[in-house]
Amino acid sequence: MISMNKVSKHYGSFQVLADCTTEVHKGEVIVVCGPSGSGKSTLIKCVNGLEPFQSGEIIVNGVSVGDPKTNLSKLRSTVGMVFQNFELFPHMRIIDNLAIAQVKVLGRNPEQAREKGLKLLDRVGLRVQAEKYPGQLSGGQQQRVAIARALSMDPICMLFDEPTSALDPEMINEVLDVMTELAQEGMTMMCVTHEMGFARRVANRVIFMDQGRIVEDDSKEAFFGNPRSERAQQFLAKILHH
Amino acid sequence: MAYNWNWGVFLQPTATGDDSTYLGWMFYGLKMTIGLSLSAWVIALLLGAVVGVLRTVPNRWLAGIATAYVEVFRNIPLLVQLFLWYFVMPELLPEKLGNAFKQTNPIVQQFLSSMVCLALFTSARVAEQVRSGINSLPPGQKNAGLALGFTLPQTYRHVMLPMAVRLIVPPLTSEFLNIFKNSAVCSTIGLLELAAQGRQLVDYTAQPYESFIAVTVAYLLLNVVVMFGMRWVEAHVRVPGYIGGK
């Protein structure tokens, strides 16, 4: 589904990503973790071309992301993405947030798009909020809407960029529950997150990054049981401590 | 000081015998000021929006051209720009077009030059505000639009501009007020707008206090109307739950 081969990116002499190679198969859930500044967000944004990269290759569903001839908009419409800060469109009602891209990008008729939007809102438990504006919802609710918005495009896979990092602790679980459900339904997912409980529950593999490199790329059993690198051991010791 | 106040002067027929009262002259000037300012404002908004957007696009050439435009039109004094449009521009046009322009009704010549001058000058300032509005949005908004499969123009149209425009309504109000005040400069090329009519009244009636008080009040009233209009706009585009919303 997603394959990366020796992806590198640098700003001037600063190496953000160095020779990152990995593969995400259909139906797999991959958790990407690592200390801040390790390049995990950059890596995930390269997958749908929001961040350009200088060398290497990323293939998503048979399409090369780095190829200048690729229609990036079309590719992105098939890859759902959820951001740390939700990024709902504040001037649109919740239902319009879910409908607009279906109409403008996929060419669905507004009635259909609305109906699909309501169904997805139902699924994340927010149908009653359909006519409200994003600013009137809590952070957890906004993030669930953001997930529903991404799903409204019928994506072939989903990217999550620290979806719970901007949330109050009590709202984290409502978002993780939606993600867990999604994973159990077989969605292909790539998640940058520090929620190790989530990783333990649903991840197939865990990628650990440090200084732009993929240091570990293991099954979750191997990663949590016996990480090979010292850096990953330190990291786990720190974040599993509390 | 012995000054003879005479507010009745406005109702007297003018000394030129043009079948009008001095009040009529004032209204003519007021209409000219409103017509000139509004038409220039519409052009300035459209042009300013385009140039402001271009300043933020990732294409270096387009952004460079837009920057040059802004710097030219906001760094030359308005009065100099007006003289350039009115006296120099017709000479630079292709001969036929230049002659055609010079043969039109002088009022039309003055009006067109004034309108273009005010519109372009103001558009540079509007462009700066549009740019700052766009730049003040969280960067994730653009990514969110693109990630849904919108093209860059669609992202501007549906995601960034609707919010940016809402954010810049207050500074745009100042610009809108400015264009009415700046239009007074156009009296220097003979356009008979409000300020020019005030001066004419002084010449014909020798009642400078009444004339300029009337002009002052007219400008004030005009701007009060604009202010309330813009306040109404501000309240109507307010986003519930967002900064300034309820």
Side-chain angles (χ1 to χ4, degrees):
Chain A
M1 179 73 62
I2 302 169
S3 92
M4 296 191 185
N5 191 9
K6 287 187 181 292
V7 174
S8 296
K9 176 183 176 74
H10 51 83
Y11 297 116
S13 64
F14 181 67
Q15 193 84 22
V16 197
L17 296 176
D19 287 335
C20 294
T21 301
T22 189
E23 189 113 10
V24 184
H25 298 107
K26 191 167 161 49
E28 260 187 331
V29 176
I30 308 294
V31 163
V32 183
C33 62
S36 69
S38 60
K40 37 192 204 308
S41 279
T42 309
L43 183 77
I44 204 171
K45 281 182 187 146
C46 284
V47 173
N48 64 352
L50 286 180
E51 287 274 357
F53 48 92
Q54 279 100 2
S55 67
E57 189 183 45
I58 300 179
I59 308 280
V60 177
N61 202 25
V63 180
S64 169
V65 178
D67 188 340
K69 287 194 291 269
T70 296
N71 181 345
L72 269 183
S73 299
K74 197 168 169 204
L75 175 72
R76 287 172 184 146
S77 72
T78 65
V79 178
M81 186 158 197
V82 175
F83 298 86
Q84 183 175 356
N85 294 311
F86 332 134
E87 305 300 353
L88 296 178
F89 307 138
H91 59 290
M92 291 179 205
R93 292 175 194 278
I94 298 300
I95 184 64
D96 297 324
N97 263 278
L98 271 80
I100 184 159
Q102 295 184 61
V103 175
K104 302 290 176 191
V105 177
L106 301 180
R108 291 182 182 153
N109 84 43
E111 267 314 302
Q112 271 181 319
R114 215 187 130 81
E115 220 158 275
K116 176 152 189 113
L118 286 174
K119 241 182 239 164
L120 285 163
L121 281 178
D122 221 0
R123 181 176 165 174
V124 298
L126 293 169
R127 192 184 180 118
V128 290
Q129 315 283 6
E131 299 300 327
K132 288 201 179 156
Y133 286 86
Q136 298 170 312
L137 268 55
S138 73
Q141 291 174 325
Q142 289 191 51
Q143 194 61 300
R144 279 144 67 197
V145 171
I147 295 173
R149 178 175 72 178
L151 292 175
S152 73
M153 304 293 284
D154 293 321
I156 54 169
C157 62
M158 290 278 286
L159 308 174
F160 292 85
D161 185 9
E162 302 207 33
T164 57
S165 301
L167 292 175
D168 287 339
E170 53 193 312
M171 295 175 181
I172 291 178
N173 278 332
E174 58 185 85
V175 171
L176 289 181
D177 287 346
V178 172
M179 290 170 63
T180 304
E181 209 176 289
L182 204 56
Q184 283 161 354
E185 283 167 20
M187 176 61 81
T188 309
M189 294 163 62
M190 198 167 172
C191 316
V192 174
T193 182
H194 291 141
E195 295 298 330
M196 289 301 125
F198 171 79
R200 283 210 166 125
R201 267 202 314 278
V202 298
N204 297 103
R205 279 197 352 257
V206 179
I207 289 176
F208 177 79
M209 292 186 72
D210 188 34
Q211 295 181 350
R213 286 178 190 284
I214 293 181
V215 183
E216 305 248 351
D217 185 350
D218 258 332
S219 71
K220 72 173 166 196
E221 290 79 14
F223 182 75
F224 287 115
N226 183 22
R228 273 164 291 182
S229 69
E230 202 178 317
R231 191 68 188 87
Q233 283 168 17
Q234 284 171 357
F235 178 79
L236 276 179
K238 267 185 204 151
I239 70 166
L240 292 180
H241 197 62
H242 53 250
Chain B
M1 188 184 74
Y3 183 77
N4 248 338
W5 287 93
N6 176 15
W7 289 100
V9 70
F10 290 107
L11 299 176
Q12 289 168 14
T14 63
T16 55
D18 64 353
D19 228 16
S20 168
T21 58
Y22 289 113
L23 192 63
W25 278 13
M26 296 286 294
F27 272 114
Y28 177 89
L30 187 64
K31 273 190 287 184
M32 195 64 104
T33 292
I34 293 174
L36 174 64
S37 305
L38 285 185
S39 52
W41 178 243
V42 171
I43 302 172
L45 270 186
L46 295 175
L47 218 55
V50 173
V51 175
V53 165
L54 287 183
R55 284 204 73 178
T56 66
V57 297
N59 182 311
R60 214 188 292 176
W61 278 100
L62 289 175
I65 292 169
T67 306
Y69 176 95
V70 168
E71 295 310 337
V72 165
F73 284 105
R74 74 169 176 178
N75 286 328
I76 301 174
L78 181 59
L79 186 64
V80 175
Q81 289 190 37
L82 182 65
F83 288 170
L84 288 174
W85 284 111
Y86 186 63
F87 296 114
V88 181
M89 200 57 200
E91 307 299 329
L92 299 179
L93 289 173
E95 206 177 313
K96 255 194 178 161
L97 201 63
N99 283 337
F101 180 78
K102 286 180 236 170
Q103 277 156 16
T104 54
N105 181 336
I107 297 177
V108 174
Q109 287 182 41
Q110 291 159 357
F111 188 90
L112 284 181
S113 302
S114 302
M115 184 181 77
V116 171
C117 171
L118 278 178
L120 297 196
F121 177 79
T122 308
S123 73
R125 302 174 55 95
V126 170
E128 277 305 273
Q129 281 158 12
V130 169
R131 177 177 75 109
S132 67
I134 292 171
N135 286 343
S136 70
L137 297 174
Q141 286 280 300
K142 179 176 166 189
N143 276 345
L146 293 175
L148 279 171
F150 283 136
T151 60
L152 188 61
Q154 279 181 319
T155 305
Y156 271 96
R157 160 76 183 78
H158 299 296
V159 178
M160 294 159 78
L161 278 176
M163 274 319 287
V165 167
R166 284 172 167 88
L167 292 176
I168 62 169
V169 172
L172 276 185
T173 303
S174 305
E175 244 15 272
F176 198 6
L177 295 172
N178 273 343
I179 208 166
F180 283 99
K181 291 177 278 177
N182 286 340
S183 70
V185 167
C186 302
S187 63
T188 55
I189 60 167
L191 187 77
L192 292 177
E193 43 64 75
L194 193 52
Q197 293 294 54
R199 250 195 339 234
Q200 259 211 123
L201 240 71
V202 179
D203 293 341
Y204 278 85
T205 65
Q207 297 287 355
Y209 288 6
E210 290 86 338
S211 307
F212 282 123
I213 288 172
V215 167
T216 307
V217 169
Y219 275 116
L220 275 176
L221 285 180
L222 202 54
N223 278 346
V224 166
V225 171
V226 170
M227 238 169 54
F228 277 104
M230 290 301 275
R231 246 186 234 173
W232 181 86
V233 170
E234 212 175 315
H236 263 75
V237 300
R238 206 168 270 176
V239 174
Y242 204 71
I243 317 156
K246 44 181 180 304

